[in-house]
Amino acid sequence: MHGLPANLEDALLGLVREKLFEGGAPLTVETDLFAAGLDSMGIMQLMISIEERFGVRVPESAVTRDNFSTASSLAAMVRRCAAPA
Amino acid sequence: MTPSPSRAKLRAPLGGCDCYLLALEDLMERSGQGRHVGVTVLEVGRGFEVERLREAAARFSESQPILGAKLQRGLPGAVPVWRGDQTAEVAVEIHPAGADWRGLAEERLQGQWPGRLRFDVWPASEGFVVLMSWSHLLLDARGVELVLAEVARLGEEVPAKPEVNSHALPFARHRSWWQEFRAVRPFLERYWSLRSERVVSLGGAPARAGRACFEAVRFSREETAAMKRRADPVTGGIFALPWFLAVTMRAHAAVFRARGQENGSLECTISVQGRKRGARGPIFQNQVSQLFFARPLPDPASVEDTARALHGQFAAMTRDKFDGAFLVMIDWMRRLPAPLYRRFLRREASGQLASFYHAHTGEFLPGVREFCGGSIVDGWHVPSVPQPPGTGLFFSEREGRLTASLCWRDGVLSADERALMWSAIRADLLGAQ
């Protein structure tokens, strides 16, 4: 597996805050990101940031509402993408 | 207008996107197309109270000095600014029940009304129709929804302290010119690569006068759910942008085919919101960037394949940080003298500006349930599109129902061509009927 941070959920939450949401937004790893306003542009920015930051490739089949709905579900997706085939 | 001595004189420089729209409005006015305005249609339930809207609109106008400010262009090389120390009344006009609100909405789209924001209200069979007419120089679609949310809030409560700083962001420059040049490179590379294409639009250059017209179709909940099921395998249930752009592109291509004009390139600039999610303001500033999409060639046979190809362009532009590059570019261009800016726009996309305009603005007014006492049933935006390109197709959703607005300039689309477009849109969104 790639060198993913031990607390991937928090790292992803930090990325979501930094790239997409206004500073200080009350987000947790279980916040519904779509309800908080995530749109097509935000998802694409997030996907590419994940690829650049964590060195994983997110395949088309992994880009689903379930995988992008929370920082927690994102972390599970990133771990699957990073796992050797 | 009334003087507002308690308020310091407003001086709000226009942002990069504001200046782009100012140049576009200049082009429109010079060809007799009027101001670049939009109309937002809001359907509200029976509890709506006109007096509450009047009071809320008065409080809102008092708290927003930019509504009474004048545009000052200054010397060549200066950034245009809003200046003023007066408030402007936001008009609220009541119309008799049964009046033709669509006709008046179209009248408002011509931009021949004073001020930069106004409301019109009609009693309807199930409640009221509220039209908010707005100047695009001050507002993008997200800004429009922030205005509606703020007026809705002011219709519920009287704030202790009115908000007065909703008009501008500071323009801090944190990067060196070299860093900015590197940031702008993705824009320049794509812009020049697309310049070699012969871009066509249904209106065609040169710019000429013509009334702004629109038709809107509201799809049922069942139809909207069926559309989502159909799009999900391509969009993953989350990428609306390439899918609806593909639908719009193919609807335009259908008209070009019917005209026997299939050789030109189709290009579309898509506005993407620059505000971070959860950000509330500023209200009165266009804060969008643009992505430049081109029709995939060879032309894919299905909407699915077109959407996949556009998704690839979307990913490539996002990876290259094209949206940021465009923002740097238009920030530089704020200092262009107006004639030079117009000249730049006249040359954009083979003189067409774009092949058409398109946006999917997502859920309309999310999180706001009531407006001045009435529950919000539906809402959508209708902008006045410039000619060229002369056409635009816009989508939004409210509580599981999609609304599509087809906008055009009189003389650009015949009734048969509009019917052809709607047929193509329905076929792509819903599948074979």
Side-chain angles (χ1 to χ4, degrees), chain A:
Chain A
M1 197 174 282
H2 296 243
L4 297 178
N7 199 336
L8 185 57
E9 282 80 359
D10 285 345
L12 282 162
L13 192 60
L15 189 66
V16 168
R17 277 209 187 97
E18 172 195 330
K19 298 281 181 187
L20 302 177
F21 286 86
E22 187 83 332
L27 299 175
T28 71
V29 293
E30 296 304 333
T31 298
D32 181 340
L33 298 177
F34 290 101
L38 196 62
D39 57 8
S40 292
M41 188 70 202
I43 296 158
M44 187 62 90
Q45 288 172 330
L46 186 55
M47 190 177 86
I48 287 165
S49 299
I50 287 170
E51 291 186 347
E52 290 173 353
R53 183 77 56 95
F54 302 111
V56 296
R57 193 187 153 272
V58 180
E60 191 183 330
S61 59
V63 185
T64 64
R65 180 170 276 269
D66 283 348
N67 284 343
F68 278 72
S69 60
T70 64
S72 181
S73 60
L74 275 170
M77 179 199 72
V78 170
R79 287 194 183 99
R80 282 196 301 275
C81 293

